[in-house]
Amino acid sequence: EKLQMFETSLPRKIAEILVATIAFLLPSAEYSSVETDKKFIVSLLLCLLDWCMALPVSTLLHPVSTAALEEQHSSRAPLLDYIYRVLHCCVCGSSTYTQQSHYTLTLADLSSPDYDPFLPLANVKNSEPVQYHSSADLGNLLTVEEERKRRSLELIPLTARMVMAHLVNHLGHFPLCGGPAVLHSLVSENHDNAHAEAPELSSEVFRSPNLQLFVLNDST
């Protein structure tokens, strides 16, 4: 809220840069043998989720404004669209968008006279201590290392799925019109829904202001 007081577009730009940074780092990180590369993407994904939940929905639905995209597309996609695209790429692999121009936001798209996304990085050293193992541990280490590699491969897709599920289930959903949600056995969200007692589902149900949709998997 304080950032928006000084510069209304600044929070949106932060989210845009996070999306473009994840898209930029994903191809090298997803198959990297260094686990910290994957953990860094996971941190960026969780950071993006925090910003999405803090930004107003109107900001997330605002079209992305970059000079490169304006030249190629008359109708620009909203920021939320690009957020879901980069999450989809994290789940399915970066190769899913290599064939499509401007499927995801790139750092080059966001460059302007006021902002250079390609800032040189100072000396960054690996903070993890070097591990030494005795020959007796090597036999057990192989199986542990194989399991660790398997889990490491799932790290980015799993986090992206969690972020998508969180956005689908919680973004833009508010307490009931009768006030804050009450944890009480006698109070149900359907008390505010005039269509809840209807014998069959109708289109009016899906126009309810306090409707929540929970996605479990592809079919449920």
Side-chain angles (χ1 to χ4, degrees):
E1 289 174 359
K2 287 183 179 179
L3 280 174
Q4 283 190 311
M5 285 167 55
F6 295 109
E7 177 60 57
T8 52
S9 63
L10 197 56
R12 191 182 79 248
K13 285 180 180 175
I14 291 172
E16 288 174 0
I17 289 163
L18 277 170
V19 169
T21 303
I22 292 167
F24 178 73
L25 296 174
L26 183 62
S28 58
E30 60 186 347
Y31 297 114
S32 172
S33 57
V34 183
E35 194 172 359
T36 47
D37 291 346
K38 291 181 171 60
K39 286 182 176 177
F40 183 51
I41 295 286
V42 167
S43 297
L44 287 173
L45 286 169
L46 295 177
C47 183
L48 179 63
L49 173 60
D50 281 344
W51 276 102
C52 287
M53 297 308 295
L55 290 170
V57 176
S58 58
T59 302
L60 292 172
L61 296 178
H62 192 279
V64 171
S65 52
T66 68
L69 292 179
E70 281 175 11
E71 290 171 7
Q72 296 197 9
H73 302 282
S74 54
S75 59
R76 292 164 292 150
L79 172 58
L80 191 59
D81 195 1
Y82 283 104
I83 290 169
Y84 277 114
R85 289 181 193 186
V86 81
L87 291 172
H88 174 69
C89 291
C90 288
V91 172
C92 301
S94 59
S95 57
T96 52
Y97 64 85
T98 50
Q99 306 300 322
Q100 301 179 50
S101 176
H102 286 290
Y103 179 72
T104 57
L105 269 180
T106 65
L107 288 169
D109 292 333
L110 301 175
S111 59
S112 66
D114 304 324
Y115 171 68
D116 177 16
F118 299 101
L119 292 173
L121 221 55
N123 288 329
V124 179
K125 296 179 181 176
N126 191 352
S127 57
E128 287 192 348
V130 180
Q131 295 180 341
Y132 299 98
H133 301 285
S134 64
S135 56
D137 295 331
L138 286 177
N140 292 330
L141 249 178
L142 284 173
T143 53
V144 172
E145 190 63 27
E146 285 168 4
E147 177 63 16
R148 193 175 168 185
K149 276 184 181 177
R150 188 187 66 78
R151 289 187 180 182
S152 180
L153 282 171
E154 296 173 358
L155 204 56
I156 295 174
L158 196 63
T159 308
R161 284 180 187 276
M162 184 277 292
V163 172
M164 275 199 270
H166 191 96
L167 290 175
V168 167
N169 290 330
H170 299 292
L171 193 64
H173 289 160
F174 300 95
L176 309 180
C177 63
V182 183
L183 290 175
H184 195 285
S185 60
L186 300 178
V187 177
S188 160
E189 67 271 19
N190 290 326
H191 289 164
D192 274 356
N193 189 348
H195 308 286
E197 302 300 325
E200 292 183 6
L201 280 177
S202 61
S203 59
E204 285 79 13
V205 174
F206 298 100
R207 297 195 189 98
S208 302
N210 57 346
L211 178 73
Q212 279 192 306
L213 299 173
F214 290 95
V215 179
L216 181 64
N217 52 39
D218 290 343
S219 60
T220 309

